[in-house]
Amino acid sequence: MQIVSADVIVTSPDRNFVTLRVETDEGVVGLGDATLNGRELAVVAYLREHVVPLLIGRDPARIEDTWQFLYRSAYWRRGPVTMAAIAAVDVALWDVKAKVAGLPLYQLLGGASRTGLLTYGHASGKDLEELFDSIRAHQAEGYRAIRVQTGVPGLKSIYGIASNATFDGNAGKRYDHEPAQRGALPAEEDWDTRSYLRHVPTVFEAVRAEFGPELPLLHDGHHRMTPIQAAQLGKSLEPYDLFWLEDCTPAENQEALRLVRQHTTTPLAIGEIFNTVWDYQLIVREQLIDYVRSAVTHAGGITHLRKIMDYASQYQIKSGFHGPTDISPVGMAAQMHLGLAIHNFGIQEYMQHGEATDRVFRQSFTFTDGFLHPGDQPGIGVDLDLDEAARHPYEQAYLPYNRLADGTVHDW
Ligand code: CS2
Ligand code: MG
């Protein structure tokens, strides 16, 4: 069998998505997600100009060899653009291999290690009343674990707060927070860590008082604290028994987590912006995190994320794969198959896509009573409607950025 075509499909139903579609000489189609929020076209160019020419004529069954070829022959390694491009090829080839085998992908990855994938959803509110309503709304949808993000008094706009009418076609319906905003320039937001550190513990105290001790609660620090501030927050949240505190500090300097670990037992999750196992080497080896947050789409596909999870399993570190709306249904489905098969699964993030997206990407995965399941269709279980995709051309969109009160640029 040979790959005879490889197309890069760009569509923007509710938001921008980039999908690689490979086809073999026997008509078997494989899909891979290559969406890099706010930098989508960089991956499109990398794929179209540099990778697609290398795929034509290749044997789609040689997945590991193709991975190594794309990683090593590029000479310039790692990084979000390269690893998203390699991820799209990898997942598309796994999709083809599973379809040729007539099996759902998880069966090729060792079979199911569980009956479903515990998920968490994004509850948020600019104040406690709105937040409580959002938590109840997510529980009513079946979510058994809830990520809590709130507004901070004194700050105009802040990460993670759903606003009405996020998606043009669904005005009035309150949607999960979609961070990328359509427009020619990124929006500037304001930030103040001391106000945030004073406010967040009071929110979790109120949520525990209202919803009790059992409900698993998660929070995303979104890379905004210094190590000692992250340690302070982790410690002040200990009484509220969080499932995890995520991205508490930028982790380019992996050693930064030593100081956080020194001061708090709040479980830590990191890695949604990590792209390779090398980004995890020290923090896994020194047991400085409890959950791996990478997504299949951004960490070199199924082939590489499985290696990261194998490494993490030696340290009893579990998965917490990144699952916001900027991971397309193709990327979500692929990581559900991996999550179902690996032993050290922890939890899966699940922000639900908009209706227009669901018309472009027909999915066979299910969300029942708080658990996701990839389904049992051969392959990864997602089909791309090319005509529907063509109806939604790309629209420039950027993630916001932060400035402090004195004008300094800060992590968003
Ligand atoms: C976030 C994301 O879901 C999360 O944990 O950190 O919403 C993140 O902001 C976006 O994926 C950025 O594109
Ligand atoms: Mg996050």
Side-chain angles (χ1 to χ4, degrees):
M1 190 183 282
Q2 287 191 348
I3 297 172
V4 290
S5 74
D7 300 306
V8 182
I9 316 292
V10 181
T11 182
S12 195
D14 297 302
R15 51 147 299 112
N16 297 319
F17 294 112
V18 177
T19 307
L20 178 72
R21 181 184 186 280
V22 301
E23 189 160 349
T24 73
D25 53 358
E26 294 177 19
V28 183
V29 169
L31 300 177
D33 178 25
T35 306
L36 189 63
N37 209 5
R39 297 291 183 273
E40 292 88 354
L41 300 184
V43 187
V44 171
Y46 192 103
L47 281 167
R48 283 186 179 145
E49 306 303 329
H50 304 296
V51 171
V52 165
L54 305 179
L55 298 178
I56 307 306
R58 283 189 72 85
D59 174 356
R62 301 182 64 192
I63 301 177
E64 180 71 32
D65 178 69
T66 301
W67 195 100
Q68 298 296 342
F69 170 62
L70 293 175
Y71 185 77
R72 296 176 193 282
S73 73
Y75 192 65
W76 312 106
R77 299 178 181 187
R78 302 170 71 177
V81 174
T82 299
M83 300 315 290
I86 293 177
V89 175
D90 185 76
V91 170
L93 297 187
W94 276 109
D95 194 14
V96 167
K97 188 180 275 287
K99 284 176 178 167
V100 170
L103 293 169
L105 176 53
Y106 71 83
Q107 292 294 13
L108 271 64
L109 300 173
S113 292
R114 52 199 54 80
T115 53
L117 305 171
L118 176 68
T119 68
Y120 73 89
H122 287 197
S124 67
K126 59 183 180 306
D127 54 34
L128 283 181
E129 191 195 340
E130 219 178 62
L131 172 64
F132 288 3
D133 288 351
S134 179
I135 293 174
R136 290 191 188 96
H138 281 80
Q139 288 183 306
E141 283 186 83
Y143 284 100
R144 295 166 176 243
I146 304 281
R147 188 187 83 164
V148 166
Q149 305 292 136
T150 71
V152 171
L155 297 182
K156 290 194 296 299
S157 56
I158 176 177
Y159 165 75
I161 310 302
S163 57
N164 295 329
T166 301
F167 299 137
D168 330 358
N170 306 298
K173 274 181 86 178
R174 194 154 184 275
Y175 266 82
D176 283 338
H177 167 73
E178 168 55 56
Q181 293 157 30
R182 298 186 198 276
L185 291 172
E188 181 177 308
E189 297 189 345
D190 53 351
W191 178 251
D192 177 68
T193 309
R194 290 176 55 75
S195 320
Y196 165 80
L197 290 176
R198 275 194 305 276
H199 186 60
V200 170
T202 68
V203 172
F204 279 90
E205 181 181 18
V207 171
R208 280 290 178 228
E210 182 74 14
F211 294 91
E214 284 92 26
L215 180 62
L217 297 175
L218 302 83
H219 181 66
D220 195 340
H222 224 259
H223 325 271
R224 293 166 183 221
M225 291 166 273
T226 64
I228 198 63
Q229 290 170 333
Q232 183 188 339
L233 181 64
K235 199 167 184 58
S236 63
L237 292 175
E238 283 174 10
Y240 312 115
D241 182 28
L242 265 63
F243 185 96
W244 79 34
L245 171 59
E246 176 187 338
D247 285 330
C248 59
T249 188
E252 287 105 329
N253 165 22
Q254 295 186 37
E255 293 166 351
L257 276 298
R258 288 184 186 141
L259 186 64
V260 183
R261 233 7 174 200
Q262 231 173 298
H263 291 281
T264 180
T265 56
T266 293
L268 302 176
I270 277 195
E272 71 181 48
I273 61 172
F274 286 1
N275 319 109
T276 68
V277 69
W278 293 283
D279 297 318
Y280 286 98
Q281 240 176 355
L282 182 147
I283 55 177
V284 165
R285 190 176 62 237
E286 293 192 14
Q287 216 78 60
L288 300 178
I289 61 166
D290 306 287
Y291 296 92
V292 165
R293 282 282 289 148
S294 284
V296 156
T297 301
H298 299 136
I302 296 257
T303 298
H304 195 62
L305 186 51
R306 183 162 64 164
K307 290 175 183 169
I308 294 173
M309 291 317 301
D310 287 345
Y311 175 49
S313 68
Q314 298 167 35
Y315 298 86
Q316 296 172 282
I317 293 171
K318 296 186 171 183
S319 71
F321 298 156
H322 192 210
T325 41
D326 47 290
I327 301 285
S328 85
V330 172
M332 279 300 292
Q335 60 194 17
M336 287 181 212
H337 284 278
L338 181 60
L340 200 67
I342 59 174
H343 180 253
N344 54 333
F345 171 83
I347 196 166
Q348 173 63 58
E349 177 180 10
Y350 182 41
M351 277 175 84
Q352 300 184 33
H353 292 103
E355 289 138 18
T357 299
D358 294 346
R359 285 192 293 275
V360 171
F361 297 95
R362 290 196 297 280
Q363 307 138 36
S364 64
F365 60 72
T366 56
F367 177 58
T368 317
D369 195 21
F371 290 88
L372 280 167
H373 191 284
D376 287 301
Q377 272 199 26
I380 63 173
V382 177
D383 295 320
L384 174 61
D385 182 323
L386 292 171
D387 299 334
E388 188 62 28
R391 294 183 52 224
H392 306 278
Y394 172 81
E395 287 188 48
Q396 183 90 30
Y398 282 100
L399 287 167
Y401 68 101
N402 269 338
R403 282 195 186 278
L404 305 178
D406 68 3
T408 308
V409 169
H410 189 76
D411 299 292
W412 176 79

